[in-house]
């Protein structure tokens, strides 16, 4: 069993930055790939980025490439999502998820989810 807790969301102006954190307890990220998803009001949950357990392989959705960076700190058992050059269309609840048993981009393959953190980007 693993518990995931996201933090770091908030309100930021367009062009600004935020860093989201996903802290795990009950199980370390040394044995699990981790993904970030987001869900805007009225829309389906959307894949953002994922990282493998060793931290040397990542995959980003096109809309966030060169703006977002995922990283993993095994010592702190935390995954980070650095978000730069934020746009209003990045506004959503951001979720981290762990232990995928299939394609990283499909939310249904992840076994564990956090509660989400709201990111709001004003224009």
């Amino acid at each position: 069993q693993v518990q995931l807790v996201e933090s770091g969301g908030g309100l930021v102006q367009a062009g600004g930055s935020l860093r989201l954190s996903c802290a795990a307890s009950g199980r370390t990220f040394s044995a699990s790939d981790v993904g970030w998803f987001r869900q805007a009001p009225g829309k389906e949950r959307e894949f953002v980025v994922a990282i493998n357990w060793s931290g040397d392989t990542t995959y980003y959705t096109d809309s966030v490439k060169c703006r977002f960076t995922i990283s993993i700190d095994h010592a702190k058992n935390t995954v980070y999502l650095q978000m730069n050059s934020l746009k209003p269309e990045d506004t959503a609840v951001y979720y981290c998820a762990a232990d995928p048993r299939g394609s990283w981009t499909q939310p249904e393959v992840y076994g564990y989810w956090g509660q989400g953190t709201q990111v709001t980007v004003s224009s």
Side-chain angles (χ1 to χ4, degrees), residues 3-24:
Q3 292 78 43
L4 305 175
V5 178
E6 302 97 332
S7 61
L11 173 63
V12 64
Q13 289 187 333
S17 299
L18 285 173
R19 189 178 77 158
L20 305 184
S21 300
C22 174

Side-chain angles (χ1 to χ4, degrees), residues 19-32:
R19 189 178 77 158
L20 305 184
S21 300
C22 174
S25 61
R27 178 178 169 183
T28 69
F29 284 138
S30 62
S32 174

Side-chain angles (χ1 to χ4, degrees), residues 2-63:
V2 61
Q3 292 78 43
L4 305 175
V5 178
E6 302 97 332
S7 61
L11 173 63
V12 64
Q13 289 187 333
S17 299
L18 285 173
R19 189 178 77 158
L20 305 184
S21 300
C22 174
S25 61
R27 178 178 169 183
T28 69
F29 284 138
S30 62
S32 174
D33 300 346
V34 178
W36 283 96
F37 289 77
R38 64 187 180 186
Q39 189 165 19
K43 294 188 177 181
E44 294 186 352
R45 194 163 295 191
E46 172 192 28
F47 171 78
V48 177
V49 60
I51 189 168
N52 71 335
W53 65 271
S54 64
D56 60 5
T57 301
T58 59
Y59 181 71
Y60 293 84
T61 195
D62 286 346
S63 63

